[in-house]
């Protein structure tokens, strides 16, 4: 009886050993099969000596296209975009026999009441400002060229009373060089683009409310306006 028990134990031990060996061989086979598959996959991919570009966590300062609406002008032929929270009236004005037009009149309005007006084909603009002083000049890019946002004190009050966007250094009117609307009196000369920023009504006219520089420099509406003019392109 003991001999039979010993034989059964030896048989069980042999069965266990054989099973372990089979599992080891199976595992080894699976490993080599997996390794070969990986090697083949790697060898089938193109090799490159270029160093992978480092990832960046920087967030673009440009507004998302999904939050903006596009527009195009008829006569000056530029396009751009504005925040969807703003409204836009985009009017094309045909030329008349007085020399006015053709022009595009764009009026952007913010929910807070700030207004940006862009008039292409502008004429009869002029005048000086003896007491005007630029309190801050910011460089921007619009229509493929350098331009400036000038925060201007017009009467030595040290308050911003005009914000002029221009591509002419130290210009107070808000004029930008035009490209596609010729002056009818001098066809070799292009009529300019006039840009005005206002925030209130005074005596039936739109004006910019006088404020300290920091209030306009840090204003969301002014930043939105700068984003609009920087979006302009031919």
């Amino acid at each position: 009886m003991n001999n039979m028990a010993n034989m059964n134990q030896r048989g069980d031990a042999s069965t266990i050993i054989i099973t372990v060996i089979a599992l080891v061989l199976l595992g080894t086979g699976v490993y080599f099969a997996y390794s070969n598959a990986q090697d083949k996959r790697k060898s089938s991919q193109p090799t490159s000596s270029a160093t992978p570009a480092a990832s960046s966590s920087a967030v673009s300062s440009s507004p998302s296209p999904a939050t903006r609406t596009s527009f195009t002008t008829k006569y000056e032929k530029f396009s751009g975009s504005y925040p969807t929270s703003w409204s836009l009236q985009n009017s094309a004005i045909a030329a008349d026999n007085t020399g006015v037009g053709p022009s595009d009149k764009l009026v952007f309005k913010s929910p807070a009441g700030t207004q940006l007006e862009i008039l292409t084909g502008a004429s009869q603009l002029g005048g000086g400002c003896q007491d005007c002083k630029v309190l801050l000049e910011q460089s921007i890019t619009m229509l493929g060229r350098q331009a400036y946002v000038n925060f201007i004190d017009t009467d030595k009050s040290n308050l911003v009373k005009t914000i002029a966007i221009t591509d002419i250094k130290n210009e107070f009117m808000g004029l930008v060089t035009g490209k596609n609307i010729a002056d009818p009196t001098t066809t070799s000369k292009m009529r300019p683009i006039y840009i005005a920023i206002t925030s209130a009504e005074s005596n039936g006219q739109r004006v910019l409310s006088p404020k300290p520089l920091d209030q306009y420099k840090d204003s969301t509406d002014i930043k939105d306006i700068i984003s609009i003019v920087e979006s302009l392109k031919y």
Side-chain angles (χ1 to χ4, degrees):
M1 196 70 176
N2 289 335
N3 290 336
M4 183 65 69
N6 290 336
M7 289 178 64
N8 288 338
Q9 289 175 353
R10 285 196 295 270
D12 291 342
S14 299
T15 301
I16 293 171
I17 292 171
I18 292 170
T19 302
V20 170
I21 293 173
L23 289 175
V24 170
L25 291 175
L26 178 61
T28 304
V30 171
Y31 170 78
F32 281 111
Y34 173 78
S35 298
N36 289 335
Q38 289 290 86
D39 292 341
K40 288 179 181 179
R41 185 178 65 83
K42 291 178 180 178
S43 64
S44 66
Q45 294 177 340
T47 58
S48 173
S49 59
T51 303
S55 61
S56 173
S57 60
V59 177
S60 172
S61 60
S62 300
S64 167
T67 65
R68 299 178 72 83
T69 303
S70 299
F71 65 90
T72 302
T73 59
K74 180 176 180 179
Y75 294 111
E76 187 57 30
K77 304 184 189 316
F78 60 68
S79 61
S81 65
Y82 60 96
T84 54
S85 59
W86 287 57
S87 64
L88 168 62
Q89 292 180 339
N90 185 356
S91 306
I93 304 169
D96 61 26
N97 56 10
T98 67
V100 175
S103 59
D104 309 283
K105 184 178 181 180
L106 299 94
V107 180
F108 303 86
K109 293 182 180 179
S110 79
T114 305
Q115 184 169 299
L116 166 67
E117 181 178 327
I118 300 178
L119 181 67
T120 71
S123 61
Q124 299 177 348
L125 296 172
C129 186
Q130 186 174 2
D131 293 329
C132 283
K133 177 184 178 182
V134 177
L135 300 178
L136 176 67
E137 177 188 87
Q138 291 183 344
S139 294
I140 62 171
T141 300
M142 63 176 294
L143 297 173
R145 65 183 79 119
Q146 183 176 23
Y148 310 94
V149 181
N150 292 332
F151 298 80
I152 301 168
D153 171 12
T154 62
D155 58 4
K156 299 180 181 180
S157 63
N158 209 34
L159 297 175
V160 174
K161 290 192 172 180
T162 298
I163 301 176
I165 297 179
T166 176
D167 62 353
I168 304 168
K169 193 76 171 175
N170 295 322
E171 195 276 319
F172 300 137
M173 286 287 295
L175 297 179
V176 176
T177 307
K179 179 181 179 181
N180 290 317
I181 301 177
D183 191 313
T185 61
T186 309
T187 55
S188 61
K189 179 181 178 182
M190 297 295 117
R191 281 191 165 173
I193 302 165
Y194 173 66
I195 299 178
I197 299 171
T198 59
S199 60
E201 293 276 349
S202 177
N203 299 322
Q205 293 185 334
R206 294 285 307 179
V207 297
L208 187 71
S209 300
K211 290 183 181 181
L213 174 61
D214 285 346
Q215 290 188 29
Y216 275 126
K217 180 171 63 73
D218 299 327
S219 164
T220 298
D221 277 3
I222 299 305
K223 290 178 181 179
D224 282 346
I225 286 173
I226 293 173
S227 81
I228 293 171
V229 297
E230 285 197 309
S231 77
L232 303 183
K233 59 182 182 297
Y234 285 110

